[in-house]
Amino acid sequence: GLKTVRLDHQQLEVELTSASTALALFELALERASCGRGDLELLDEGVEYAGTLKGTEALKTCTFGCVYCPTEVDADGEQMNPKSYLTHESGVIRAVRNGYNTADQVYDRLGSLQSMGHDTSKVFVRIVGGTWSVLTSNAQQTFVRDTLFALNTMDAHPDSRRQPRSLEEEQAINETASCRAVEICVEDHPKMVTPASLLENRRLGITAMEIGVQTTNDEIHRITKRDSSRAQIVERTKLMKEFGFK
């Protein structure tokens, strides 16, 4: 879902909520993010999901149970939106309006900005909602690919837009597109940050990472079930910097 946009030194920040509402509507992650139930359902690595990452199984994009992240459920107890994102928020409203379709969220938000006279030639993409490294490689690649695809076809008429190409092709096209992704940021849990995951993020074109440091007090980490520690935060932050991430 597109959550927020802000102007920062003439750079637009576009926040994409990577998660879901209902199976019929969309199970994205960039599917049905269910942060912290201990069980994890993954999409088939061999299946090419569309921009929405639709599938027959709900995709839970976080396995951690941090107590401060709200989980909104419906009358049947099923999770409705990404962990920590609520129905009344503007970003979630926009995501639901677009069926959590990755490309459509980009078209919607940038279209609104353009109609207000904003320059959208430089876009800071922030993918949020869940834990990035919990997603399968296929899910990560498809989400990033479709984000770039939308930026690359922003100026095309909706009825004449081409089909998405490969990640590498969309990356190359975006280098000279009218709407360029000058930064792509994802959210991850400190425990999930590894040399292997960072190498994959570099391949995807990700340039910045967030690991949600709410505190450096390990007693508070224990109480809030963060499943992390001060030492781990320091170690993983250093690792991310060594790999060139902001």
Side-chain angles (χ1 to χ4, degrees):
L2 283 164
K3 181 164 176 54
T4 61
V5 170
R6 72 167 183 236
L7 286 174
D8 182 14
H9 302 298
Q10 301 304 310
Q11 215 164 269
L12 292 173
E13 178 179 312
V14 179
E15 189 169 299
L16 292 153
T17 299
S18 57
S20 84
T21 84
L23 210 71
L25 188 53
F26 176 52
E27 297 117 44
L28 149 124
L30 315 180
E31 225 173 10
R32 194 170 250 228
S34 172
C35 205
R37 291 189 183 174
D39 55 337
L40 174 64
E41 300 173 57
L42 294 176
L43 295 179
D44 188 340
E45 288 263 3
V47 177
E48 177 64 20
Y49 296 97
T52 57
L53 305 184
K54 290 180 180 177
T56 57
E57 299 291 335
L59 178 64
K60 299 177 179 178
T61 62
C62 187
T63 57
F64 298 92
C66 310
V67 300
Y68 39 73
C69 284
T71 302
E72 185 175 19
V73 298
D74 59 21
D76 296 321
E78 291 295 319
Q79 185 165 336
M80 298 172 61
N81 293 301
K83 181 78 171 177
S84 83
Y85 290 86
L86 306 175
T87 298
H88 67 272
E89 297 180 16
S90 59
V92 175
I93 292 172
R94 187 181 304 108
V96 172
R97 181 169 68 231
N98 289 285
Y100 274 95
N101 181 285
T102 306
D104 286 346
Q105 292 177 69
V106 177
Y107 295 141
D108 189 334
R109 191 59 180 128
L110 292 189
S112 295
L113 288 168
Q114 290 177 350
S115 69
M116 292 185 285
H118 290 297
D119 178 2
T120 58
S121 61
K122 295 181 179 180
V123 181
F124 173 22
V125 181
R126 184 165 177 263
I127 303 173
V128 301
T131 299
W132 182 248
S133 291
V134 169
L135 302 180
T136 64
S137 177
N138 183 74
Q140 292 177 342
Q141 178 167 307
T142 303
F143 197 85
V144 174
R145 188 276 309 272
D146 287 356
T147 299
L148 294 173
F149 160 71
L151 294 175
N152 293 339
T153 57
M154 187 66 204
D155 295 337
H157 190 278
D159 296 332
S160 60
R161 284 180 178 136
R162 60 173 174 78
Q163 292 298 306
R165 299 174 185 172
S166 69
L167 170 66
E168 292 74 19
E169 288 177 296
E170 296 295 353
Q171 287 174 331
I173 294 170
N174 192 251
E175 291 178 3
T176 56
S178 60
C179 295
R180 292 183 297 115
V182 297
E183 183 162 307
I184 300 178
C185 179
V186 298
E187 290 182 328
D188 219 331
H189 189 284
K191 203 170 186 178
M192 303 295 286
V193 176
T194 66
S197 70
L198 295 177
L199 280 173
E200 176 64 6
N201 285 347
R202 291 298 302 267
R203 184 185 73 84
L204 294 173
I206 292 166
T207 58
M209 295 182 63
E210 298 179 20
I211 55 173
V213 181
Q214 287 82 15
T215 181
T216 57
N217 186 313
D218 282 342
E219 176 60 14
I220 295 177
H221 284 148
R222 183 190 66 79
I223 294 171
T224 59
K225 300 180 180 180
R226 177 59 175 159
D227 196 12
S228 184
S229 67
R230 180 182 184 279
Q232 189 176 64
I233 290 170
V234 171
E235 176 194 353
R236 301 306 160 84
T237 298
K238 180 181 179 182
L239 185 63
M240 289 187 293
K241 292 182 71 175
E242 289 176 343
F243 272 76
F245 291 96
K246 295 182 182 178

